[in-house]
Amino acid sequence: KEAEAMLRRAIKGYEKTVGEEHLDTLNSINQLGSVLESQGKYKEAEAMQRRALEGYKKVSGEEHPDTLAGVSLLGSVLERQGKYKEAEAMQRKALEGYEKVVGVENLQTLAIIGQLGSVLQSQGNYKEGGAMYRRALEGYDKVVGEEHPDTLSCMANLAISLWSQRQWKEAEDMERQVMETRKKVSGLAHPATLTAMHNFAFTLKSQSRNKEAIALMETCFQLRERDLGHHHPVTEASRDALNMWRMENI
């Protein structure tokens, strides 16, 4: 809320001093769009992203990185609203531009490949979505290495795609690697490690490896409860899964 208010004030100030089409104004509009998206105000966020994008096109041109980033951000907020076809078109356009302007082995290009994977997966196109995640993962491995957070996030997304395609073994191998690397880099109790642990437990359960799944989810629940409290949504998610699995196992 505070960030939203500050950005709205900044936009008014910039519009008054440097004009509506100045990059400082457009960047603030863009940031406001992202803040609104994070608050779940998707319709207003979309309007802001469209406004910023039109400005970037006019000021910097269709192929400028600022414009292409704006295209991808608009794609993201469209996906949040379930406007998948338009979101996919935006991410493909952004990707084509980034590949041309900055190349494939660029972090922003790789992020957009991952975004395209996400919107394809949202439409149930797990095969092509998974292929995008694999492509992004290869790039992250090469550019920032296996232990970088971006690499691990991409690997986790690929694992979810594999899980959705019932490719349990490969999903398990990926999730185990994500969990162990997160543990090594960030520690056992880090939220990202616990998210990986939670997902890995579900993959084990999907293979009827009930004892392993319950033991892992129990550890995840205990650490989340200790650090986040009993009523935090992620603690409750782990607790609910754990209770259900225990009942099934009686």
Side-chain angles (χ1 to χ4, degrees):
K1 280 287 182 184
E2 192 179 336
E4 180 186 340
M6 285 175 66
L7 284 165
R8 288 190 189 279
R9 283 196 299 271
I11 291 164
K12 279 187 180 179
Y14 283 133
E15 284 174 338
K16 194 173 180 180
T17 55
V18 294
E20 290 187 1
E21 293 178 356
H22 192 277
L23 281 177
D24 288 339
T25 311
L26 297 174
N27 289 339
S28 295
I29 293 168
N30 200 19
Q31 287 167 31
L32 178 57
S34 295
V35 167
L36 291 166
E37 183 179 351
S38 71
Q39 294 176 47
K41 298 175 180 177
Y42 301 132
K43 198 167 184 179
E44 195 179 356
E46 179 186 339
M48 286 294 162
Q49 299 294 13
R50 287 191 187 278
R51 183 179 163 192
L53 180 56
E54 289 309 310
Y56 284 135
K57 282 180 187 174
K58 196 168 179 181
V59 174
S60 305
E62 294 269 354
E63 293 185 347
H64 191 277
D66 287 345
T67 308
L68 297 171
V71 172
S72 181
L73 285 168
L74 178 55
S76 173
V77 78
L78 289 167
E79 182 184 355
R80 295 272 200 172
Q81 296 173 86
K83 299 175 180 179
Y84 298 128
K85 283 295 176 191
E86 192 181 357
E88 179 186 339
M90 288 290 168
Q91 299 298 1
R92 288 191 186 279
K93 184 177 178 182
L95 178 56
E96 186 183 342
Y98 263 104
E99 285 177 328
K100 183 177 177 182
V101 174
V102 297
V104 178
E105 291 177 8
N106 172 278
L107 284 177
Q108 190 61 42
T109 308
L110 297 173
I112 290 169
I113 294 170
Q115 291 278 2
L116 180 54
S118 171
V119 77
L120 289 165
Q121 197 160 274
S122 294
Q123 296 174 79
N125 189 348
Y126 298 114
K127 193 170 182 180
E128 193 181 356
M132 286 293 162
Y133 283 133
R134 282 189 196 279
R135 186 178 160 197
L137 182 58
E138 285 173 13
Y140 281 126
D141 276 340
K142 194 170 180 181
V143 175
V144 291
E146 289 184 357
E147 295 183 354
H148 192 277
D150 289 346
T151 310
L152 295 172
S153 294
C154 186
M155 191 180 291
N157 287 333
L158 176 55
I160 292 167
S161 177
L162 292 164
W163 189 90
S164 300
Q165 295 174 74
R166 306 177 74 83
Q167 295 179 28
W168 311 126
K169 186 68 180 77
E170 195 177 357
E172 178 191 339
D173 291 344
M174 291 235 163
E175 283 172 351
R176 189 188 299 276
Q177 187 178 342
V178 171
M179 185 180 72
E180 293 302 331
T181 309
R182 292 277 194 200
K183 206 185 294 183
K184 177 184 169 187
V185 173
S186 306
L188 177 62
H190 191 278
T193 308
L194 296 177
T195 297
M197 193 181 292
H198 181 97
N199 291 343
F200 186 32
F202 267 93
T203 297
L204 292 170
K205 184 72 173 67
S206 298
Q207 298 175 80
S208 300
R209 289 159 64 180
N210 296 341
K211 283 187 178 179
E212 290 173 83
I214 288 169
L216 195 62
M217 190 61 83
E218 192 161 8
T219 302
C220 182
F221 166 65
Q222 287 170 355
L223 290 167
R224 281 177 160 175
E225 185 179 40
R226 184 193 73 187
D227 294 343
L228 300 171
H230 195 68
H231 298 295
H232 192 282
V234 296
T235 308
E236 290 179 346
S238 292
R239 185 195 63 219
D240 291 348
L242 183 59
N243 288 340
M244 185 171 64
W245 296 351
R246 280 172 174 162
M247 289 292 289
E248 288 173 1
N249 220 39
I250 291 171

